[in-house]
Amino acid sequence: MNHTIGMHWTPSKYTSVRASYSKLMNAINIRPMAESILAEQAVGRVLWTDIVSHTDIPSSNCSHMDGFVVKYNDISRISQHGPMKLRIVPRRKEGKRENQILFKGQTIRVSTGEVLPRFGDTVIPVEYTQFDSKNSTIMVQRELAKGSFVSYKGSEIARKDLLLNKSHILRAQDLALIAMLGIRRLKIFKKPKVAIIPTGNELTEDITDIKHGKILNTNSRVISNLIEKLGGTPLDLGITPDNIHKIKNKIRLALSESDIILTTGGSSVGLRDLVADSIGEIGKPGILVHGVKLDRGRVTGLAALRGRPIIILPGPIQGAVNAFIVFAQPLIRFMLGLHPFYKPFISAKLTEDWNARKKFQNFTKIVYVKMTSSASGEFHAKPLTGETTDITVLTGSNGFILVPERLTKLKSGQKVKINIFPGLSFSSLGPIEIPYLSEKSFLPF
């Protein structure tokens, strides 16, 4: 690319974030798709269908205590007539136990979780009995309520109970439940493939090239990790030089291999935008919006080809991440059957005033914050500022405030809603990383 010193591509007009997203959605036809996978591999995946129980759990009446199963009528008058002696009868072999009949005056030794014989309706814990091994009898010392220590058939889960809803994100305990139901495979939302096309002659993957004026391609790594944390599959197609022919080839490849296409860089270098020009030469509708009322991230572009969305992310890291948050995030989550934006919010009190940049006051603003918690558990948020290229604004933050166009200032002490974002606000080790206070702060005593 021929660069003109001091000259950069600048949008001639800006479109609101809401209108831009609406234009994009109206021009594309991507749809969520399903796939079947082994249930044991489904942690973190999103259910395509409801999970309805086809069985009862427990499947039979069973004991939830080690003890002796009895007929309640045999012990119902202990409080009036004193301890009751019952004869111990042997237990049938496994598989035939549910059909065994417990007659008047009999008892059977049972273990926790063991199926009860027919007409056995109460379990007496071992410590409430006196055992006579010589005569194979027990003396029941106290009366218990009918049904004591019995888990009845279907008491936890009944047949046809709705257990997990469609679009539920599966957790470890959910998969344990699914295993109990005997479900081996699950129909889940297919992970969307998201292609990344980093562009620019200045980019390199080799850290040693920085000495020669090159820029390390860190944006692709950041975006790739965020895609993965959201539940998508990143497909990095590698650095592409500032050459329309090569950029077009990469975009065509991405159209055939992915659901969503992201380009990084190339949207504000030189007098021309080669990515936008390349898209325009491939087909219609092409560029939908180029210049968004997003601070930072105003040179973001949105396009559509063959029903696929293309998001032109700015080169500076904050602009790239901001555009990813407001445009790529909802698309990925839409493909996964989820709400467009990650929730929940954290309510925090602002520690400093914040004012929008004068030139972009009527833009949507993303304000990164550093959250801490007080000894009382209240959250505080300090706004972080810096140049669009400053990655330290991102590394110093653990949340952000999405400020609408109409707001231009936030006051110290004001309660704000902090957005948290997987991979950006927190790691996989916890919901949010708050500075360590003391061990006593987290103990329940």
Side-chain angles (χ1 to χ4, degrees):
M1 175 191 293
N2 293 322
H3 293 273
T4 303
I5 297 175
M7 300 293 288
H8 297 278
W9 179 86
T10 302
S12 58
K13 64 177 182 177
Y14 296 100
T15 307
S16 73
V17 170
R18 185 181 296 274
S20 298
Y21 186 71
S22 179
K23 283 186 177 183
L24 181 63
M25 291 303 290
N26 289 333
I28 61 178
N29 58 17
I30 58 172
R31 293 290 181 269
M33 298 184 69
E35 65 176 342
S36 176
I37 66 171
L38 290 172
E40 62 200 44
Q41 299 172 350
V43 68
R45 303 297 296 273
V46 184
L47 275 177
W48 179 267
T49 57
D50 294 339
I51 297 292
V52 177
S53 177
H54 59 272
T55 188
D56 295 310
I57 296 179
S59 58
S60 304
N61 295 344
C62 60
S63 172
H64 66 82
M65 177 69 71
D66 289 351
F68 294 89
V69 59
V70 302
K71 294 166 66 76
Y72 173 71
N73 287 343
D74 284 344
I75 65 166
S76 62
R77 294 188 299 277
I78 287 178
S79 58
Q80 298 173 5
H81 302 289
M84 176 67 65
K85 182 183 289 187
L86 299 173
R87 184 167 60 88
I88 302 171
V89 296
R91 195 67 163 116
R92 282 187 182 177
K93 292 183 179 179
E94 190 128 13
K96 298 180 180 180
R97 291 180 177 178
E98 194 171 7
N99 294 324
Q100 185 173 2
I101 297 175
L102 187 67
F103 293 101
K104 180 178 174 61
Q106 293 181 341
T107 184
I108 295 174
R109 179 69 186 264
V110 290
S111 301
T112 302
E114 192 171 349
V115 173
L116 299 183
R118 292 171 63 190
F119 307 127
D121 56 15
T122 304
V123 173
I124 310 296
V126 172
E127 57 267 30
Y128 296 160
T129 67
Q130 283 186 346
F131 177 54
D132 183 347
S133 58
K134 182 178 180 180
N135 298 308
S136 294
T137 62
I138 61 166
M139 188 71 74
V140 182
Q141 303 291 332
R142 57 180 288 186
E143 183 179 327
L144 295 176
K146 184 176 182 178
S148 292
F149 305 106
V150 173
S151 294
Y152 287 99
K153 178 180 179 179
S155 59
E156 182 176 6
I157 297 170
R159 188 172 177 272
K160 296 185 179 180
D161 275 356
L162 174 62
L163 302 178
L164 299 170
N165 290 299
K166 174 183 178 179
S167 296
H168 178 77
I169 302 174
L170 292 162
R171 305 162 299 171
Q173 61 266 42
D174 300 324
L175 297 183
L177 172 61
I178 286 165
M180 288 172 63
L181 297 173
I183 298 172
R184 298 292 304 277
R185 298 190 71 85
L186 289 172
K187 197 173 185 181
I188 47 96
F189 281 84
K190 190 175 183 179
K191 289 185 176 186
K193 287 185 179 180
V194 185
I196 306 169
I197 307 174
T199 64
N201 291 333
E202 73 281 5
L203 296 179
T204 182
E205 300 290 358
D206 188 348
I207 188 70
T208 60
D209 288 341
I210 294 177
K211 297 177 182 178
H212 308 293
K214 293 283 189 176
I215 298 173
L216 193 65
N217 178 32
T218 53
N219 283 18
S220 291
R221 301 176 192 180
V222 172
I223 298 302
S224 180
N225 287 330
L226 293 180
I227 291 167
E228 201 162 16
K229 284 294 182 185
L230 278 174
T233 300
L235 180 63
D236 192 337
L237 298 182
I239 295 172
T240 308
D242 293 324
N243 177 289
I244 281 187
H245 177 71
K246 292 182 178 180
I247 293 173
K248 283 163 63 176
N249 285 342
K250 280 287 179 71
I251 293 173
R252 288 192 179 102
L253 175 61
L255 288 169
S256 66
E257 298 291 332
S258 64
D259 305 293
I260 301 166
I261 302 162
L262 308 178
T263 69
T264 66
S267 62
S268 61
V269 289
L271 291 173
R272 297 175 61 198
D273 187 315
L274 295 188
V275 173
D277 290 348
S278 300
I279 292 169
E281 290 187 15
I282 292 174
K284 301 289 185 180
I287 297 295
L288 304 168
V289 173
H290 209 182
V292 178
K293 293 176 76 173
L294 176 65
D295 185 34
R296 307 174 184 259
R298 60 193 177 89
V299 298
T300 301
L302 303 177
L305 290 172
R306 302 179 194 170
R308 298 280 199 278
I310 302 174
I311 304 172
I312 305 171
L313 302 177
I317 185 62
Q318 283 186 57
V321 171
N322 288 358
F324 182 90
I325 288 171
V326 298
F327 294 121
Q329 173 188 219
L331 288 176
I332 293 170
R333 290 179 65 83
F334 165 72
M335 294 287 285
L336 290 170
L338 301 173
H339 185 278
F341 285 88
Y342 184 81
K343 291 185 176 183
F345 302 104
I346 292 177
S347 180
K349 187 179 289 186
L350 216 59
T351 61
E352 298 176 7
D353 289 347
W354 172 88
N355 295 289
R357 295 196 294 170
K358 290 183 179 180
K359 194 174 180 180
F360 308 109
Q361 286 189 345
N362 65 336
F363 281 34
T364 295
K365 284 79 64 176
I366 291 181
V367 181
Y368 291 95
V369 298
K370 177 67 174 181
M371 274 192 295
T372 55
S373 61
S374 65
S376 64
E378 184 179 49
F379 286 105
H380 300 277
K382 176 184 178 182
L384 303 180
T385 57
E387 296 300 323
T388 312
T389 54
D390 292 350
I391 196 168
T392 49
V393 171
L394 298 178
T395 58
S397 72
N398 52 14
F400 63 87
I401 307 167
L402 195 58
V403 182
E405 293 179 7
R406 67 180 184 278
L407 288 182
T408 60
K409 59 180 65 177
L410 300 170
K411 292 289 187 181
S412 178
Q414 178 179 345
K415 282 276 186 152
V416 291
K417 287 183 177 180
I418 308 298
N419 295 264
I420 54 177
F421 199 94
L424 188 65
S425 302
F426 58 88
S427 69
S428 60
L429 297 178
I432 188 161
E433 293 172 352
I434 297 297
Y436 181 74
L437 298 175
S438 71
E439 187 180 54
K440 291 182 180 178
S441 302
F442 302 100
L443 295 177
F445 47 83

